[in-house]
Amino acid sequence: MDALIIDDDDLMADLLETVVAGLHPDMQVAKASGFQEAMAAWKRKPADLLIVDWNLPDGSGLEIIRQVRAINKTVTIVMITGRADRDSILKAAHYHISGYISKPFKVDMLHDRLLAVLDKVAPEAEAAPPPSLESLLAEGLDTVIQLPAKTDAASVLELITRAESLSAAQLAERWQTDAALCSRLLDVANRASFRKTGKPVSTVRDAISTMGVPMALNQALGLAMDVGATLSDDLLKTPAIQYQQQAESVAREAQRVALAMGKRSTEFFTAGLLSRVGELAVLKVMDHFLRRGGELTEDEVQDALRDWAQPYGNRLKVQWLMPLELRQLIGAVHFLTRENVTQERVIMRVAALLASDDAPEAEIGRLLRHLGLENWNKKAAGSTPDEVESDQPAPDGAAPAGQEQDGEKRSDD
């Protein structure tokens, strides 16, 4: 299935590409930024789905619809525009469009509306026999990857890059219709570690103010990693839940170690949350495979995760425009290289070991000594997470770690 997105706003086009690519396992997405480019792309390869903005730098999206409809009466066309007045809607409806969505919109609403539109054309494609899992995984690396959670991880990561310029009020307004996220924020804000006044937090804005914008963004990112409930089979749900729990555990341990080092913990928490995105993306592809009639054994699931998690994780790092520093922190969760070892990467590696049930104590102790935290783990083991967070020793002259090599090798970028 081919889709053509026509929008001259690069950020909007990228967002639409991410959402549309996640609508169907065979979706191939192309983009055009103007009237002439769009018409040339359509004539070269007519798409099954058109997403059209009204105002373009060299013409009108409505004229594109008129010309396309003159050739094809049945192609699915959705107009996404800032025009929300009745006259504009009626004018577009005259050309028998399949949907009309006004900006601004929520990502989950956009996803649901487009999915409803595609239900009219997707069944025919679903009737085709499924390709092999191997070919589906290989093809997936050449498309835009989207995790199946309603909260869009790429959008949250974009907000994280400009967290310092965002206010609690701005985030509360942006997230006010996301019931799951609002519930999560209120729950976290009312935990003992954030309740400084002894009074419960009752609004999302106050919840964000209480925990701070960076932590609120990380809570949103954590929700974006929660894909287990969207998967169709327990064979996939179980590892999805396990990977999410592992990532959250690494995030918490990284936060604790970073605080003990006197460092800002936000970026370490973020890296921990993202440490299993490759596995989650592979599980999504396998879910599409099952939905299309494929069959999988537990061994095949494990083999696919082993062989494809790293390529998919690396692809997402590029697609989501992660900065190099964040990529390196994520990579250190799985493997600590001998070259260019920094305290930050050692923090992530030791966090991964602390989060593991079977990590060797000797190795944990060795890495903690490199950080100047010889006695910290014993102290932390007898403390609650809240107590550890409030106690932030900054060891003087903590030596950078060097020449460590542990765990499964995973690429940093």
Side-chain angles (χ1 to χ4, degrees):
M1 179 175 290
D2 296 309
L4 176 61
I5 294 170
I6 306 164
D7 199 309
D8 63 323
D9 183 328
D10 290 340
L11 290 177
M12 178 59 68
D14 288 344
L15 173 61
L16 291 170
E17 180 183 23
T18 300
V19 174
V20 171
L23 295 175
H24 194 275
D26 290 332
M27 188 69 74
Q28 301 292 322
V29 184
K31 294 184 292 185
S33 59
F35 178 90
Q36 297 296 335
E37 184 182 357
M39 292 310 302
W42 167 260
K43 292 174 182 177
R44 184 169 59 252
K45 186 179 182 182
D48 306 292
L49 169 66
L50 269 71
I51 308 286
V52 186
D53 188 20
W54 192 306
N55 296 318
L56 299 170
D58 59 344
S60 167
L62 200 62
E63 178 61 19
I64 292 176
I65 295 174
R66 188 190 69 78
Q67 292 193 25
V68 168
R69 276 285 179 251
I71 302 170
N72 189 318
K73 304 294 185 184
T74 61
V75 63
T76 303
I77 302 176
V78 176
M79 175 158 273
I80 297 183
T81 174
R83 301 186 182 209
D85 59 283
R86 182 174 180 274
D87 289 344
S88 295
I89 295 173
L90 291 175
K91 186 179 291 187
H94 175 73
Y95 295 103
H96 305 289
I97 59 174
S98 310
Y100 190 102
I101 300 174
S102 299
K103 302 175 186 177
F105 50 75
K106 300 296 181 182
V107 171
D108 56 346
M109 181 277 289
L110 174 66
H111 179 274
D112 291 345
R113 291 278 299 276
L114 291 177
L115 199 59
V117 169
L118 277 189
D119 280 344
K120 301 174 182 178
V121 296
E124 296 180 3
E126 293 291 347
S132 68
L133 176 61
E134 195 77 8
S135 62
L136 203 61
L137 285 163
E139 292 169 5
L141 285 176
D142 296 325
T143 64
V144 175
I145 303 167
Q146 185 184 22
L147 299 182
K150 285 191 174 182
T151 301
D152 179 51
S155 298
V156 178
L157 280 171
E158 190 276 326
L159 292 174
I160 287 176
T161 63
R162 50 189 182 93
E164 294 182 359
S165 65
L166 296 173
S167 68
Q170 288 172 317
L171 287 183
E173 181 179 2
R174 184 185 184 99
W175 292 338
Q176 61 184 339
T177 61
D178 190 331
L181 179 53
C182 290
S183 176
R184 184 183 182 115
L185 293 172
L186 287 166
D187 176 58
V188 173
N190 277 300
R191 291 176 190 169
S193 58
F194 291 108
R195 290 174 60 182
K196 300 175 182 177
T197 64
K199 298 179 181 179
V201 176
S202 58
T203 70
V204 175
R205 178 174 177 175
D206 287 345
I208 297 171
S209 296
T210 298
M211 70 180 69
V213 167
M215 177 58 76
L217 289 167
N218 270 327
Q219 291 301 323
L221 184 60
L223 193 61
M225 300 295 106
D226 186 5
V227 305
T230 68
L231 301 176
S232 60
D233 194 289
D234 287 342
L235 191 65
L236 305 180
K237 287 182 180 180
T238 299
I241 293 170
Q242 290 173 343
Y243 284 127
Q244 184 197 1
Q245 291 174 342
Q246 288 173 11
E248 290 179 349
S249 182
V250 171
R252 289 192 296 270
E253 295 293 349
Q255 181 184 48
R256 292 199 310 146
V257 179
L259 288 170
M261 293 289 295
K263 296 179 180 290
R264 289 184 57 185
S265 62
T266 306
E267 59 266 34
F268 299 98
F269 197 91
T270 302
L273 289 177
L274 293 169
S275 59
R276 292 294 181 178
V277 292
E279 286 85 352
L280 297 179
V282 172
L283 287 169
K284 179 206 170 183
V285 176
M286 287 192 280
D287 185 62
H288 282 314
F289 179 73
L290 291 178
R291 289 176 187 271
R292 297 177 61 186
E295 296 181 355
L296 289 172
T297 66
E298 188 172 348
D299 286 342
E300 288 171 329
V301 170
Q302 293 305 317
D303 288 346
L305 289 166
R306 181 197 63 218
D307 296 339
W308 292 91
Q310 179 180 335
Y312 268 81
N314 290 340
R315 177 71 175 86
L316 279 171
K317 290 174 186 177
V318 175
Q319 178 183 311
W320 290 349
L321 304 177
M322 293 186 198
L324 179 60
E325 294 80 5
L326 180 58
R327 298 186 199 182
Q328 292 172 339
L329 290 180
I330 297 170
V333 170
H334 306 281
F335 178 73
L336 198 60
T337 64
R338 294 182 181 276
E339 297 80 23
N340 300 319
V341 177
T342 64
Q343 283 187 346
E344 288 74 16
R345 296 186 204 178
V346 175
I347 288 172
M348 294 309 305
R349 182 59 190 152
V350 77
L353 294 175
L354 288 168
S356 174
D357 293 330
D358 55 1
E361 289 293 333
E363 192 59 36
I364 294 174
R366 185 161 65 91
L367 292 176
L368 288 174
R369 285 194 298 274
H370 278 298
L371 295 174
L373 299 175
E374 292 89 342
N375 300 317
W376 174 83
N377 196 34
K378 292 180 181 179
K379 173 187 174 183
S383 305
T384 66
D386 294 342
E387 290 169 340
V388 173
E389 286 181 15
S390 63
D391 183 11
Q392 303 178 22
D396 294 330
Q403 298 193 2
E404 308 295 341
Q405 185 167 340
D406 306 277
E408 175 190 358
K409 186 170 183 178
R410 294 280 289 267
S411 175
D412 287 346
D413 52 28

